[in-house]
């Protein structure tokens, strides 16, 4: 596949995310779907969609720290996260890794040794609607004590669909442009005031327009690590499991942030390719 275009990099720089279609290997996606079912609760039958509805029952639940996390309608299957074929499907896929290097700097990206896992949203059926609440990947419970250079460390996330996900199917959801707001918030607040400002912004974001990802198996979405995001709720009329794989990229030996630096200054630290584009 071709490198990212200047227009695609501009879009990522401005909006904080980027979608690319038909990237993942079909055979590895099929293997990932098979692998996922090895971790399913016994009552969930692959050939019987009527057994897929959530929430997980109390006897099926495992906490957030579990390798096979099952909570409510959320399933995070982390057991295969370090398996070489799984990492090769997404994190070290040469095409995807090359795009990550365009955004973070050629030769400056740490090759991931694992992915986050296979993530699913169970169908909600006739369950009442639940609010869609976003977050950012910046350890919000410890913002007041986390060094600024760690909070602003360059990084990307990537999510790949391993099966078709229709609209309202519970796919990855993003709030465009919020990475800029979070960047400035982190830069201009300290201590407990940073925590309070973050919580206030998240409440405001939840009332703002969002973009729900959906598409065909093989599609991927990059997101800036400061972008507000969440997993959507699976309310599609078509009974299916929202299935995706997630991974992260970080930059080697990142230059620490300095007081007063804008997000455009940050792009200069991240990548010469990105910085060479006209500022928006």
């Amino acid at each position: 596949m071709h490198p990212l275009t200047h227009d695609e990099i501009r879009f990522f720089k401005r909006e904080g995310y980027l979608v690319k279609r038909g990237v993942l290997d079909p055979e590895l996606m099929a293997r990932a779907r098979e692998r996922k079912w090895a971790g399913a609760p016994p009552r969930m039958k692959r050939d019987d969609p009527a057994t897929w509805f959530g929430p997980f029952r109390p006897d099926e639940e495992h906490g957030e720290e579990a390798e096979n996390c099952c909570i409510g309608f959320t399933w995070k299957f982390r057991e295969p996260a370090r398996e070489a074929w799984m990492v090769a499907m997404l994190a070290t896929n040469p095409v995807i890794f090359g795009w990550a290097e365009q955004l973070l700097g050629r030769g400056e990206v740490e090759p991931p040794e694992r992915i986050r896992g296979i993530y699913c949203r169970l169908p909600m059926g006739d369950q009442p609607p639940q609010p869609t609440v976003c977050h950012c990947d910046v350890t919000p419970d410890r913002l007041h004590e986390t060094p600024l250079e760690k909070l602003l460390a360059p990084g990307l996330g990537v999510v790949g669909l391993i099966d078709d996900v229709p609209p309202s199917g519970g796919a990855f959801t993003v709030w465009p442009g919020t990475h800029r707001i979070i960047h400035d918030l982190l830069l201009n607040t300290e201590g407990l005031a940073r925590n309070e400002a973050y919580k206030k912004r998240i409440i405001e974001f939840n009332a703002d327009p969002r973009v729900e990802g959906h598409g065909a198996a093989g599609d991927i979405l990059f997101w800036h690590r400061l972008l507000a995001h969440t997993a959507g709720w699976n309310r599609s009329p078509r009974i299916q499991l929202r299935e995706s794989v997630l991974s992260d990229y970080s930059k080697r030996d990142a230059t620490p942030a300095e007081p007063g630096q804008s997000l455009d200054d940050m792009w200069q630290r991240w990548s010469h390719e990105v910085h060479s584009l006209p500022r928006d």
Side-chain angles (χ1 to χ4, degrees):
M1 291 190 177
H2 298 292
L4 299 178
T5 67
H6 280 189
D7 284 344
E8 287 174 322
I9 296 175
R10 284 191 187 95
F11 183 90
F12 179 84
K13 177 181 172 182
R14 182 180 68 249
E15 304 295 337
Y17 75 98
L18 181 68
V19 176
K20 297 290 286 184
R21 304 292 184 185
V23 181
L24 302 182
D25 180 86
E27 292 186 6
L28 292 180
M29 287 191 291
R31 185 174 177 181
R33 293 191 294 269
E34 291 280 350
R35 185 72 175 85
K36 176 207 67 184
W37 283 105
R43 60 100 176 174
M44 293 177 63
K45 309 300 182 185
R46 183 171 186 175
D47 58 354
D48 184 3
T51 67
W52 300 353
F53 286 97
F56 286 105
R57 300 189 312 222
D59 62 302
E60 298 170 339
E61 288 200 333
H62 303 281
E64 185 63 43
E65 300 304 317
E67 287 292 284
N68 192 1
C69 169
C70 302
I71 302 174
F73 294 89
T74 299
W75 181 10
K76 300 178 181 179
F77 186 45
R78 302 187 180 105
E79 288 181 10
R82 293 185 180 274
E83 294 176 14
W85 66 273
M86 181 73 76
V87 177
M89 178 179 67
L90 182 70
T92 58
N93 178 307
V95 172
I96 300 173
F97 190 81
W99 291 335
E101 285 196 309
Q102 281 188 266
L103 297 172
L104 286 173
R106 293 195 183 279
E108 299 181 28
V109 180
E110 194 70 43
E113 297 181 355
R114 61 168 296 159
I115 66 169
R116 293 196 194 187
I118 304 174
Y119 284 23
C120 300
R121 275 287 206 185
L122 305 189
M124 296 192 71
D126 58 2
Q127 295 283 330
Q130 297 192 29
T132 301
V133 179
C134 63
H135 65 279
C136 302
D137 293 338
V138 289
T139 58
D141 55 332
R142 292 190 295 275
L143 286 178
H144 63 288
E145 60 185 26
T146 305
L148 187 62
E149 58 267 26
K150 183 175 181 180
L151 292 175
L152 297 183
L156 308 171
V158 61
V159 55
L161 301 183
I162 59 172
D163 205 351
D164 296 347
V165 178
S168 302
F172 202 73
T173 299
V174 297
W175 278 253
T178 52
H179 62 310
R180 292 176 172 271
I181 298 171
I182 293 296
H183 173 273
D184 292 346
L185 181 154
L186 298 176
L187 199 61
N188 297 315
T189 56
E190 296 180 352
L192 293 176
R194 181 178 287 160
N195 293 62
E196 294 306 311
Y198 174 85
K199 292 175 185 177
K200 180 181 178 182
R201 276 299 188 185
I202 290 297
I203 292 172
E204 293 171 351
F205 292 161
N206 288 327
D208 289 343
R210 65 205 65 171
V211 174
E212 182 203 29
H214 56 83
D219 295 348
I220 69 165
L221 181 150
F222 282 110
W223 81 93
H224 188 293
R225 70 179 296 270
L226 298 183
L227 190 73
H229 62 274
T230 193
W233 297 105
N234 187 349
R235 304 200 69 89
S236 171
R238 190 182 101 199
I239 302 175
Q240 53 98 56
L241 290 176
R242 187 275 281 161
E243 301 171 314
S244 58
V245 286
L246 286 82
S247 188
D248 302 277
Y249 297 104
S250 59
K251 188 178 172 83
R252 293 191 181 107
D253 302 322
T255 303
E258 297 179 2
Q261 283 195 324
S262 69
L263 187 58
D264 285 312
D265 293 327
M266 184 186 73
W267 291 119
Q268 182 177 13
R269 303 200 323 273
W270 276 35
S271 167
H272 295 300
E273 284 194 47
V274 174
H275 181 63
S276 68
L277 299 173
R279 295 190 177 193
D280 296 320

